[in-house]
């Protein structure tokens, strides 16, 4: 255990849920209609109808690198679909939003066929999330940069960052630098990391000031919530071994990465419970007393209206 | 009259007040104790005790270049003290905050002697404001970067901008890129301009994205208010002839500069009435119906708590 971030939480969302979960990897050839891209799905095993989370992975990482975080969330009763957004890990294309939009619409026609028969998605309750550059993709998708027939009920960015990488890629501009300018009528949440804006050795920061979580929150209309994991870096919520790998290039926190995953996972679950399940007790509890989280969240902000 | 911004307001704060005002220019040698720097003072002529506004001018402009705006504000019953913050117009020094702090403390010992005897300052009701780079100075002063014995009751930044100009000047860092991180317990207001972030011909923008009004607002704790004069540039509230001069180097709005001065002046007066006078009707009126202003304010945001 590292010197930082070693609290235990007494709020259930920060611990794994009661449901056993399964991983389902879907290739383009695996189903009919075929998914627009390879999918990494995590879903409860037990029979039931579950709300859905579409999750966009970050830059230079794969959708399967979040397995521990996604398992945590899914075990609380959510089906998570994470599409592969790049054709290879290092060369990204500018059609990520299009891909994410195609996957969104495919959920209506194709998801049921790749899930076990007893596990049903509730397509009236779908939230959208993404990490890093995937957070920007999520905002772009929610903002309608590419239209979808399926609509999202809530949007949660995990350390979203708007940088172009490399700077010449054509891609949708998201940030306007006008407070509350995002034209969204759904609840928005933003989780930031306190070290994401710091350089690592010779490498530039993962999420520079002015284009990171703080600005995404500033441009969000109420109801919106903000949580800063102040002692962690932008890739510290990845699977243990992948977070270690990322820490070679990106500033990383000294604290336990397992607690960071619990902290981020817990916020996601509390957010989903509030806006897909209508139960906002846990989200309110975190807002009212951020110290109940297993990691230091400072600040936590909730803007109701 | 230009094509934009030609509304008439029906709220009194946007029109000149009932009081006749006078300009008092104070040199360092003019009073005892001497002021730390030359001062441009605007005050009502009538006998009375008036709350105070300390106003920090912007970069490359002089304190007297805001005479029309400051007369508007003063005519509603305020004494305004605007110190000269640079030794010459184009070569700025890094001791502006120190100068502003010295002036703040001098208000207690020296202001009375430079005002007509029947015009009394109420030193229990002092607000702080500044424009552009002077807005940053105002925030730095309120944040205690240089301590003062006199305390401010409210802070209002007019298109505040945090850039270093030139970049090598040592000066206090203000922005943290963490929402609500300014350690201030007084009400804060921010007026932004929508064109301040745009370049003019070959000149860089006056107030680039990420270091301008939007970020200052994001880092302010409630109660805080935000007003974006979306169709105007960063120097459009200067005196008519000076605004025209500034428009050669900075993006400027097409609308009437007189209306811009009324718009900004009205917001300042409404803000001062709320936080120095305890009468928040006008501020609430603007927040509730921004179209009552003579210029387009979009967005207007008020965060109560």
């Amino acid at each position: 255990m590292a010197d930082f971030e070693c609290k235990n939480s007494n709020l259930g969302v920060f611990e794994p849920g009661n449901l056993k979960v399964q991983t389902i990897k879907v290739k383009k050839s695996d189903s009919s209609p075929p998914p627009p891209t390879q999918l990494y799905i995590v879903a409860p095993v037990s029979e039931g109808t579950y709300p859905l989370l579409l999750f966009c992975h970050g830059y230079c990482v794969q959708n399967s690198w979040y397995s521990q975080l996604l398992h945590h969330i899914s075990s609380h009763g959510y089906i998570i679909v994470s599409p592969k957004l790049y054709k290879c890990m290092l060369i990204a294309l500018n059609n990520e939003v299009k891909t994410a939009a195609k996957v969104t619409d495919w959920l209506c026609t194709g998801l049921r066929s790749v899930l076990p028969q007893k596990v049903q998605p509730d397509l009236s309750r779908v939230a959208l999330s993404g990490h890093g550059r995937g957070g920007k993709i999520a905002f772009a998708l929610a903002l309608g940069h590419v239209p979808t027939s399926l609509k999202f009920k809530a949007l949660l960015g995990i350390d979203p960052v708007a940088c172009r990488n490399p700077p010449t890629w054509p891609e949708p501009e998201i940030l306007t630098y006008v407070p509350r300018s995002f034209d969204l009528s759904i609840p928005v949440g933003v989780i930031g990391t306190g070290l994401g804006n710091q350089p690592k050795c010779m490498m530039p920061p993962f999420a520079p000031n002015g284009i990171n979580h703080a600005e995404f929150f500033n441009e969000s209309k109420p109801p919106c919530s903000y949580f800063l994991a102040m002692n962690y870096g932008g890739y510290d919520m990845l699977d243990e071994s992948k977070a270690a790998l990322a820490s070679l290039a990106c500033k990383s926190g000294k604290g336990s990465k397992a607690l960071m995953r619990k902290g981020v996972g817990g916020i996601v679950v509390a957010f989903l419970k509030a806006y897909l399940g209508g139960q906002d007790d846990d989200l309110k509890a975190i807002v009212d007393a951020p110290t109940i989280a297993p990691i230091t969240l400072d600040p936590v902000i909730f803007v109701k209206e």
Side-chain angles (χ1 to χ4, degrees), chain A residues 164-220:
Chain A
R164 297 169 167 195
N165 206 337
T168 49
W169 288 347
E171 60 178 56
E173 293 291 339
I174 300 296
L175 299 177
T176 64
Y177 296 91
V178 174
R180 301 194 182 178
S181 55
F182 287 144
D183 188 17
L184 291 169
S185 55
I186 55 175
V188 176
V190 175
I191 300 171
T193 64
L195 307 181
N197 63 352
Q198 297 186 18
K200 167 84 177 186
C201 305
M202 302 296 287
M203 302 288 284
F206 162 76
N209 289 335
I211 58 171
N212 66 21
H213 49 88
E215 186 59 24
F216 278 82
F217 174 64
N218 198 23
E219 299 191 19
S220 298

Side-chain angles (χ1 to χ4, degrees), chain A residues 221-245:
Chain A
K221 292 187 204 298
C224 56
S225 43
Y226 178 81
F227 312 84
L228 185 64
M230 62 179 292
N231 297 325
Y232 282 95
Y235 283 100
D236 285 348
M237 73 294 291
L238 292 180
D239 290 347
E240 193 68 28
S241 61
K242 306 304 182 187
L245 184 65

